[in-house]
Amino acid sequence: MPADTTAINKLMDRFDDHPSVWLFGYGSLIFKADFPFVEKRPALIRNWTRRFWQGSYDHRGTHTAPGRVVTLIREAEAICEGMAYLITPQIFEHLDYREKNGYLRLSTEIIFEDGTNAEGVVYIATAENTAFLGPASELDIARQIAASSGPSGHNKEYLTGLATALRALGKKDAHVFGIEQHLIALDN
Ligand code: SIN
């Protein structure tokens, strides 16, 4: 898979002729919605778990010192909670560029808090992409985050932005909050 996934994502045209489509965000798309949307609703997707296993060369790190950002890893029975946005398909051009460092558009079932659901899109960076870093201990992930920054800002701001947004939604994520605790300890 090329390092830049923009061209592959353009081929995912399944929603192009829909007037609107739901986008599920589980990382920076929760706390940094820099695109127009019609509506947003807290939501979840099933059988995926959020992990800081994706390298960031273009936003929160550099080519020589990548940061770490979240992707989703398949896990039976797991749920990942986040924010769903109703967007027009034109917004994918902006999103494909923003998520170009390894993320692919996948279609998924999105479940809203009232139990209703919709088919929509999620950006996932799989193990096949060249920026994928894979597992590490939460302490080592915190150390890497503490040492990284890139064009979009410090990697620490990504972690705290995500943790703060999840708390504001009343959601828990042991992996995200565990790394946050290590970061606080490293700062003291
Ligand atoms: C997402 O937020 O849904 C994708 C990962 C990211 O941009 O942080």
Side-chain angles (χ1 to χ4, degrees), residues 24-30 70 98-99 103 123 158:
F24 180 76
Y26 57 90
S28 67
L29 290 174
I30 301 182
V70 288
R98 170 173 161 165
E99 304 296 324
Y103 291 86
Y123 282 85
Y158 180 105

mmCIF file of all heavy atoms in Angstrom, residues 24-30 70 98-99 103 123 158, ligand 1:
data_model
loop_
_atom_site.group_PDB
_atom_site.id
_atom_site.type_symbol
_atom_site.label_atom_id
_atom_site.label_comp_id
_atom_site.label_asym_id
_atom_site.label_seq_id
_atom_site.Cartn_x
_atom_site.Cartn_y
_atom_site.Cartn_z
ATOM 1 N N PHE A 24 -17.888 8.075 10.970
ATOM 2 C CA PHE A 24 -17.598 7.792 12.374
ATOM 3 C C PHE A 24 -16.175 8.216 12.694
ATOM 4 O O PHE A 24 -15.223 7.780 12.045
ATOM 5 C CB PHE A 24 -17.771 6.288 12.665
ATOM 6 C CG PHE A 24 -17.478 5.932 14.094
ATOM 7 C CD1 PHE A 24 -18.397 6.217 15.092
ATOM 8 C CD2 PHE A 24 -16.269 5.341 14.451
ATOM 9 C CE1 PHE A 24 -18.125 5.920 16.425
ATOM 10 C CE2 PHE A 24 -15.988 5.038 15.782
ATOM 11 C CZ PHE A 24 -16.923 5.329 16.770
ATOM 12 N N GLY A 25 -16.023 9.065 13.715
ATOM 13 C CA GLY A 25 -14.704 9.518 14.154
ATOM 14 C C GLY A 25 -14.390 8.956 15.529
ATOM 15 O O GLY A 25 -15.255 8.935 16.409
ATOM 16 N N TYR A 26 -13.137 8.498 15.698
ATOM 17 C CA TYR A 26 -12.754 7.883 16.980
ATOM 18 C C TYR A 26 -11.439 8.456 17.511
ATOM 19 O O TYR A 26 -10.987 8.077 18.595
ATOM 20 C CB TYR A 26 -12.638 6.355 16.829
ATOM 21 C CG TYR A 26 -11.643 5.969 15.748
ATOM 22 C CD1 TYR A 26 -10.295 5.765 16.052
ATOM 23 C CD2 TYR A 26 -12.046 5.868 14.418
ATOM 24 C CE1 TYR A 26 -9.382 5.456 15.063
ATOM 25 C CE2 TYR A 26 -11.130 5.564 13.418
ATOM 26 C CZ TYR A 26 -9.808 5.355 13.752
ATOM 27 O OH TYR A 26 -8.895 5.064 12.766
ATOM 28 N N GLY A 27 -10.799 9.329 16.734
ATOM 29 C CA GLY A 27 -9.524 9.909 17.153
ATOM 30 C C GLY A 27 -9.622 11.413 17.055
ATOM 31 O O GLY A 27 -10.517 12.037 17.640
ATOM 32 N N SER A 28 -8.729 12.000 16.244
ATOM 33 C CA SER A 28 -8.761 13.462 16.124
ATOM 34 C C SER A 28 -10.086 13.951 15.536
ATOM 35 O O SER A 28 -10.481 15.100 15.751
ATOM 36 C CB SER A 28 -7.593 13.964 15.274
ATOM 37 O OG SER A 28 -7.733 13.559 13.939
ATOM 38 N N LEU A 29 -10.777 13.068 14.809
ATOM 39 C CA LEU A 29 -12.063 13.500 14.240
ATOM 40 C C LEU A 29 -13.096 13.760 15.338
ATOM 41 O O LEU A 29 -14.095 14.429 15.098
ATOM 42 C CB LEU A 29 -12.586 12.477 13.224
ATOM 43 C CG LEU A 29 -11.785 12.389 11.916
ATOM 44 C CD1 LEU A 29 -12.297 11.256 11.037
ATOM 45 C CD2 LEU A 29 -11.835 13.705 11.146
ATOM 46 N N ILE A 30 -12.849 13.267 16.553
ATOM 47 C CA ILE A 30 -13.766 13.605 17.658
ATOM 48 C C ILE A 30 -13.513 15.048 18.123
ATOM 49 O O ILE A 30 -14.440 15.815 18.331
ATOM 50 C CB ILE A 30 -13.594 12.654 18.873
ATOM 51 C CG1 ILE A 30 -13.840 11.197 18.497
ATOM 52 C CG2 ILE A 30 -14.535 13.076 19.999
ATOM 53 C CD1 ILE A 30 -13.719 10.239 19.682
ATOM 54 N N VAL A 70 -4.144 7.248 16.861
ATOM 55 C CA VAL A 70 -4.960 6.036 16.978
ATOM 56 C C VAL A 70 -5.395 5.475 15.634
ATOM 57 O O VAL A 70 -5.575 6.206 14.650
ATOM 58 C CB VAL A 70 -6.219 6.249 17.863
ATOM 59 C CG1 VAL A 70 -5.835 6.361 19.328
ATOM 60 C CG2 VAL A 70 -7.056 7.437 17.413
ATOM 61 N N ARG A 98 -6.551 14.845 4.741
ATOM 62 C CA ARG A 98 -6.193 14.887 6.161
ATOM 63 C C ARG A 98 -5.741 13.506 6.676
ATOM 64 O O ARG A 98 -4.827 13.412 7.488
ATOM 65 C CB ARG A 98 -7.420 15.387 6.937
ATOM 66 C CG ARG A 98 -7.291 15.273 8.424
ATOM 67 C CD ARG A 98 -8.456 15.934 9.121
ATOM 68 N NE ARG A 98 -8.564 15.447 10.479
ATOM 69 C CZ ARG A 98 -9.281 15.997 11.429
ATOM 70 N NH1 ARG A 98 -9.983 17.072 11.177
ATOM 71 N NH2 ARG A 98 -9.312 15.487 12.638
ATOM 72 N N GLU A 99 -6.381 12.447 6.216
ATOM 73 C CA GLU A 99 -6.122 11.092 6.725
ATOM 74 C C GLU A 99 -5.199 10.295 5.795
ATOM 75 O O GLU A 99 -5.155 9.065 5.873
ATOM 76 C CB GLU A 99 -7.457 10.350 6.908
ATOM 77 C CG GLU A 99 -8.468 11.050 7.805
ATOM 78 C CD GLU A 99 -8.019 11.192 9.250
ATOM 79 O OE1 GLU A 99 -7.344 10.279 9.764
ATOM 80 O OE2 GLU A 99 -8.311 12.237 9.867
ATOM 81 N N TYR A 103 -4.516 5.855 6.263
ATOM 82 C CA TYR A 103 -5.913 5.508 6.587
ATOM 83 C C TYR A 103 -6.713 5.213 5.322
ATOM 84 O O TYR A 103 -6.594 5.926 4.323
ATOM 85 C CB TYR A 103 -6.595 6.652 7.338
ATOM 86 C CG TYR A 103 -6.044 6.862 8.738
ATOM 87 C CD1 TYR A 103 -4.920 7.659 8.943
ATOM 88 C CD2 TYR A 103 -6.640 6.266 9.840
ATOM 89 C CE1 TYR A 103 -4.400 7.854 10.212
ATOM 90 C CE2 TYR A 103 -6.136 6.454 11.115
ATOM 91 C CZ TYR A 103 -5.015 7.255 11.296
ATOM 92 O OH TYR A 103 -4.501 7.437 12.549
ATOM 93 N N TYR A 123 -12.426 5.859 8.875
ATOM 94 C CA TYR A 123 -11.041 5.800 8.367
ATOM 95 C C TYR A 123 -10.217 4.914 9.298
ATOM 96 O O TYR A 123 -10.103 5.220 10.494
ATOM 97 C CB TYR A 123 -10.422 7.200 8.325
ATOM 98 C CG TYR A 123 -10.873 8.043 7.152
ATOM 99 C CD1 TYR A 123 -12.050 8.779 7.210
ATOM 100 C CD2 TYR A 123 -10.108 8.091 5.986
ATOM 101 C CE1 TYR A 123 -12.463 9.554 6.132
ATOM 102 C CE2 TYR A 123 -10.510 8.870 4.903
ATOM 103 C CZ TYR A 123 -11.687 9.593 4.978
ATOM 104 O OH TYR A 123 -12.084 10.360 3.904
ATOM 105 N N TYR A 158 -2.629 15.829 21.005
ATOM 106 C CA TYR A 158 -3.547 14.854 20.389
ATOM 107 C C TYR A 158 -4.092 13.925 21.477
ATOM 108 O O TYR A 158 -5.295 13.694 21.567
ATOM 109 C CB TYR A 158 -2.787 14.066 19.320
ATOM 110 C CG TYR A 158 -3.585 13.002 18.587
ATOM 111 C CD1 TYR A 158 -4.028 13.203 17.276
ATOM 112 C CD2 TYR A 158 -3.873 11.771 19.184
ATOM 113 C CE1 TYR A 158 -4.739 12.225 16.595
ATOM 114 C CE2 TYR A 158 -4.588 10.788 18.507
ATOM 115 C CZ TYR A 158 -5.006 11.019 17.213
ATOM 116 O OH TYR A 158 -5.717 10.042 16.542
HETATM 117 C C1 SIN B 1 -10.437 9.352 13.369
HETATM 118 O O1 SIN B 1 -10.313 10.276 14.169
HETATM 119 O O2 SIN B 1 -11.571 8.817 13.207
HETATM 120 C C2 SIN B 1 -9.315 8.839 12.551
HETATM 121 C C3 SIN B 1 -7.986 8.955 13.187
HETATM 122 C C4 SIN B 1 -7.496 10.349 13.410
HETATM 123 O O3 SIN B 1 -7.586 11.186 12.493
HETATM 124 O O4 SIN B 1 -7.018 10.649 14.511
#
